[in-house]
Amino acid sequence: MIFTVSLLREIRGNDIVTSIIRQNAPTVLITRPAHQAGPLAALLEARGFRPVRFPAIAIRAITPNPALDAALRHVDEYAWMVLTSVNGVRIVWERAEALGLAKALQKARVAAIGPKTARALRQRGITPAFVPQEYVAEAILPGLGDVRGQKVLLLRALQARPTLAEMIAAAGGEAHEVPVYDTLPAQPSLEGLEALRRGVDYLTFTSPSTVRNFVALTRQAGLDPLALPGNPQVVCIGPITAQAAREMGFPVAAVADPYTAEGLVEAIVRLSRHLTPDT
């Protein structure tokens, strides 16, 4: 691994030799949705890995969504609006624009899980009032302050865990959950299936949905997801995803820290150098 990266840096720009290095590079399967795989693939290539795209999920906005429309029309009634993903930001913003409510959205007090979600908000003129240090739902509540008697709007995936809503209710607040998108099984990638049959070095999971749908897709293709050729190591973006992977039977080799694409790549780099103990 170290030898491959060194050569890549020294001779970058030489197409023939670069091609040979990439063919020999460790392969990393990306299970993110197709439209979100590019940045992670670029990060992996920059560190000398060969990414293989195998989208396990697809994102579909829930439409029509009268619950979302009503929440956006009365967004000033909420003490907080919580967004947990870039997909949620995009879908909510597009709907707010369609309803002529984008300016009202920019005045809301917003909490965001993760730097990517916060960046997506800022790109739309919304400055998050709170971004937790740990990018999981459990870390949001302390930043909301005293929520007793307060309404909190949670705009999230249909499959989102109820944990945050339950915590808000236990603290005396009123959580209003509105699903804004659904995660569906994606069509199997022929490139990804061929790579799995040949054997890859690492599997990456970035949400519990990617774990569950990866298992379903590989079984449909006649493969045993827990006994794949090459004995790939499993790397997860955070503890919730790692828990889902373990529940499906995967031994998790490493968990990203921080819980970002950059953290995921660094976890793979450390693992490849045998610096990361089993978790």
Side-chain angles (χ1 to χ4, degrees), residues 22-274:
R22 287 181 176 173
Q23 288 176 7
N24 293 334
T27 49
V28 182
L29 202 78
I30 300 175
T31 54
R32 276 192 153 172
H35 71 282
Q36 291 181 314
L40 178 55
L43 288 170
L44 288 165
E45 287 182 336
R47 300 303 296 269
F49 296 95
R50 185 155 60 92
V52 177
R53 304 186 187 211
F54 186 91
I57 62 173
I59 303 298
R60 185 184 67 182
I62 295 174
T63 181
N65 194 339
L68 174 61
D69 292 356
L72 292 174
R73 289 192 174 99
H74 300 281
V75 71
D76 59 330
E77 297 178 5
Y78 294 96
W80 284 94
M81 181 171 67
V82 179
L83 285 150
T84 56
S85 73
V86 172
N87 291 313
V89 172
R90 174 179 57 80
I91 292 166
V92 169
W93 179 257
E94 289 176 356
R95 189 56 189 161
E97 282 194 316
L99 295 173
L101 298 170
K103 288 186 178 179
L105 205 63
Q106 289 172 326
K107 296 177 182 177
R109 189 162 58 157
V110 180
I113 294 183
K116 298 288 176 58
T117 304
R119 185 185 310 161
L121 286 164
R122 293 190 185 97
Q123 289 171 346
R124 292 163 174 84
I126 302 171
T127 301
F130 175 64
V131 181
Q133 292 295 316
E134 192 176 12
Y135 310 142
V136 293
E138 287 83 345
I140 281 283
L141 184 61
L144 303 185
D146 187 354
V147 296
R148 285 177 294 180
Q150 303 286 323
K151 294 174 64 176
V152 180
L153 178 60
L154 308 179
L155 302 172
R156 53 208 310 194
L158 182 63
Q159 296 83 1
R161 296 178 301 133
T163 306
L164 180 56
E166 293 171 353
M167 293 173 68
I168 291 170
E174 180 184 345
H176 185 190
E177 292 185 273
V178 178
V180 298
Y181 65 91
D182 195 4
T183 56
L184 306 171
Q187 290 296 317
S189 154
L190 293 179
E191 176 200 8
L193 284 174
E194 291 175 1
L196 280 175
R197 290 192 171 101
R198 289 194 303 269
V200 298
D201 298 290
Y202 301 96
L203 302 179
T204 62
F205 295 123
T206 51
S207 71
S209 293
T210 63
V211 179
R212 291 188 287 268
N213 290 337
F214 174 80
V215 169
L217 290 173
T218 50
R219 284 177 176 163
Q220 288 171 12
L223 294 167
D224 181 349
L226 302 180
L228 291 167
N231 190 28
Q233 298 191 76
V234 172
V235 185
C236 296
I237 201 166
I240 305 302
T241 301
Q243 179 182 342
R246 293 188 182 99
E247 289 173 354
M248 296 299 289
F250 290 103
V252 176
V255 179
D257 183 14
Y259 312 150
T260 62
E262 290 80 3
L264 189 72
V265 174
E266 290 305 317
I268 296 172
V269 170
R270 290 194 298 270
L271 194 62
S272 70
R273 294 172 178 168
H274 307 289

